[in-house]
Amino acid sequence: MVWLAVTVSFLVFAVVAWLAMFPGARDEAGGRAGRMLQRGSAFIERLRRRASQQTRESGQELRTKSAGYARRVSRSKYFLIAAAVMVIVPVSLILGLRQKVILDGGTDPVPVATSSQIRELLEGENLVPPEPPPPEVFVEAERELAQLSPSARLSIAAPEEIVSADRRWEQIDRDFRQRVLAIYKVMEGRGIKMVLVEGFRSAKRQAELAVAGKATRAGAGQSCHQYGLAVDSAPIRNGKLQWDMNDPWTRDAYHLYGQLAQEAGLEWGGSWRSIKDYVHLEQKDRCRAARRAAGAG
């Protein structure tokens, strides 16, 4: 490696000395270098012109092809429109009707959940109601609610008179019960345990609550509770029912409750415009039919 460096250095020194000592050689070398530079510049210019010409030709070819495609599309526009309609319409119908099925033995379309978890639970085995919390949970909840001021009560989602409420799952319509239990199951899988606060409601109790005007405006015969097609539920945490919508955990729990209710084909009271009833779920269409059948409108 050292010998190579020495050799190269010697040759460079010899060339420099030769050019310095012989002016004619220096002029000849300069002339050759100039001619080489000219030839290189001419070669680069030819490449540039050739590339420019190819670009123009490619652009012309692309415009010609584009015009040809446009003419073909124009001639076939009615065929293309018909093909698009044949593709879009069936897909739109499938998407629009995918939430309705006919149950065995029935004639009316019934909403089915879009959530895969809800759907699998509804199509699977019979869901069993969870064990209720001790009665003391409801007694303590009602006692705490009674101590709240009217202004503080505005942010509370709890129903009225929960101790005396009916919490018998067997009083609730079977199909509706399965949908509610599916919601409970999914929420429990996300770390939120739900508790049934009220299910069936008698006409007498409904009339009393309507007169008080706090929890409902529906009179006797008007509430879905009276037909086993409505429930009031609440999340439970650390042994206490949670109602305070100012609490982020509670608010998120009720909004998940409402989202899953929609996926299960139910209506959530938290989506109402007038009275926000966050604990409430109902099967609205069947409830309306039950009221008509009972002559309650």
Side-chain angles (χ1 to χ4, degrees):
M1 192 69 180
V2 175
W3 286 106
L4 179 61
V6 171
T7 303
V8 172
S9 300
F10 175 77
L11 291 174
V12 170
F13 177 78
V15 170
V16 171
W18 178 63
L19 292 174
M21 294 174 63
F22 301 98
R26 187 169 60 247
D27 294 341
E28 178 67 20
R32 290 188 179 183
R35 288 192 295 274
M36 291 178 64
L37 288 174
Q38 289 177 353
R39 285 197 294 269
S41 298
F43 178 73
I44 293 173
E45 179 63 21
R46 286 196 300 273
L47 290 179
R48 188 190 66 78
R49 287 198 298 268
R50 184 178 302 173
S52 177
Q53 182 179 358
Q54 289 178 347
T55 301
R56 287 195 299 271
E57 291 175 353
S58 298
Q60 181 67 27
E61 183 179 359
L62 179 61
R63 286 191 293 271
T64 303
K65 288 184 177 180
S66 299
Y69 291 145
R71 287 193 296 272
R72 292 194 190 96
V73 169
S74 179
R75 288 196 298 269
S76 307
K77 60 183 177 181
Y78 295 112
F79 172 78
L80 294 174
I81 292 172
V85 169
M86 293 175 65
V87 172
I88 293 171
V89 170
V91 172
S92 300
L93 289 174
I94 291 171
L95 292 175
L97 299 175
R98 75 184 190 279
Q99 289 185 287
K100 297 182 181 297
V101 298
I102 303 297
L103 298 180
D104 292 339
T107 57
D108 296 327
V110 179
V112 172
T114 57
S115 165
S116 60
Q117 288 180 288
I118 293 287
R119 183 171 61 250
E120 289 169 5
L121 288 168
L122 292 177
E123 293 175 351
E125 62 187 52
N126 185 48
L127 298 172
V128 178
E131 287 293 324
E136 293 77 15
V137 170
F138 301 100
V139 174
E140 178 65 17
E142 190 165 290
R143 185 187 66 79
E144 291 181 353
L145 290 171
Q147 295 175 351
L148 294 175
S149 65
S151 59
R153 193 69 169 79
L154 294 176
S155 64
I156 299 301
E160 299 290 328
E161 301 179 13
I162 59 176
V163 171
S164 58
D166 191 325
R167 285 180 281 276
R168 293 174 295 171
W169 284 97
E170 61 270 19
Q171 293 288 93
I172 300 171
D173 177 86
R174 184 185 179 283
D175 175 72
F176 175 63
R177 180 173 69 230
Q178 289 297 296
R179 294 171 188 271
V180 174
L181 291 174
I183 294 169
Y184 280 22
K185 193 79 171 177
V186 173
M187 293 190 69
E188 186 174 6
R190 301 186 188 183
I192 303 171
K193 183 175 175 59
M194 298 297 291
V195 170
L196 177 65
V197 178
E198 183 169 18
F200 175 78
R201 188 181 290 166
S202 67
K204 179 176 180 295
R205 175 175 169 83
Q206 184 65 38
E208 292 172 350
L209 292 175
V211 169
K214 295 180 181 179
T216 182
R217 295 176 182 174
Q222 295 295 318
S223 172
C224 297
H225 282 280
Q226 293 178 246
Y227 305 100
L229 292 167
V231 297
D232 293 337
S233 309
I236 187 169
R237 181 173 60 169
N238 299 327
K240 289 188 175 184
L241 299 177
Q242 304 297 309
W243 322 101
D244 187 1
M245 294 300 289
N246 288 328
D247 174 61
W249 184 91
T250 303
R251 185 170 59 250
D252 290 345
Y254 277 111
H255 281 286
L256 176 60
Y257 179 61
Q259 176 189 338
L260 293 173
Q262 183 179 14
E263 293 177 355
L266 305 179
E267 181 163 316
W268 177 46
S271 64
W272 293 345
R273 292 183 178 180
S274 53
I275 295 178
K276 294 288 186 181
D277 197 355
Y278 297 102
V279 299
H280 183 87
L281 295 183
E282 65 180 45
Q283 200 162 5
K284 188 173 183 178
D285 292 341
R286 295 187 60 207
C287 176
R288 188 182 294 118
R291 284 202 300 263
R292 286 198 300 266

